[in-house]
Amino acid sequence: DMAGTTVLDDGVVEQAFQRAAERTGVADRMPWDEALDYVRVTMGQSKIDVFTHLSGGDAEAAARATAAFEGAYAEIVAEQGVSEIPGAADAIQGLKDAGLKVVLTTGFAPVTRDALIDGLGWRDLV
């Protein structure tokens, strides 16, 4: 996994969800605390699935919110930078040194995943 497992999150996922919700109104149908609880419970799941639920099943609204999330996440990474969970890169390198291939799974879209990998300088690591 990435956010919270190999990548230090510091609330970035929640911040990006909040920016996306504010920009698109995707979670306006429910109290914000309820929407945020759902976001927390579904960490690691596909963001389009999360936004589909938050939008009450509106696929177009979910797609707009997902794009807004991806943009917001990239903004936050650019503003704040990104850090690994201490020791993550060393652990991954140790696995590679042992002859294993390393793959990170994530609920993030490729653009968000790549922003994290590039921000960490892990392009040659994973």
Side-chain angles (χ1 to χ4, degrees):
D1 189 40
M2 295 186 77
T5 304
T6 56
V7 180
L8 194 60
D9 178 55
D10 282 341
V12 175
V13 169
E14 290 181 15
Q15 291 174 47
F17 267 108
Q18 183 169 2
R19 287 185 189 187
E22 289 170 353
R23 292 172 182 172
T24 65
V26 73
D28 288 351
R29 68 180 193 86
M30 66 180 65
W32 176 247
D33 289 342
E34 184 180 324
L36 189 56
D37 284 343
Y38 185 77
V39 166
R40 289 176 179 147
V41 168
T42 58
M43 286 287 182
Q45 292 184 20
S46 169
K47 303 308 172 241
I48 189 76
D49 292 343
V50 174
F51 280 120
T52 297
H53 172 82
L54 293 176
S55 69
D58 184 335
E60 289 181 19
R64 284 191 305 275
T66 300
F69 171 85
E70 292 164 359
Y73 201 97
E75 289 170 9
I76 295 166
V77 167
E79 294 164 6
Q80 300 175 10
V82 61
S83 301
E84 69 175 72
I85 294 288
D90 290 340
I92 293 168
Q93 187 62 55
L95 293 169
K96 286 181 69 172
D97 291 347
L100 300 171
K101 289 185 180 184
V102 178
V103 178
L104 297 177
T105 61
T106 183
F108 291 136
V111 66
T112 304
R113 175 203 62 213
D114 291 347
L116 288 170
I117 289 171
D118 291 340
L120 291 165
W122 284 8
R123 195 49 69 184
D124 293 331
L125 186 64
V126 295

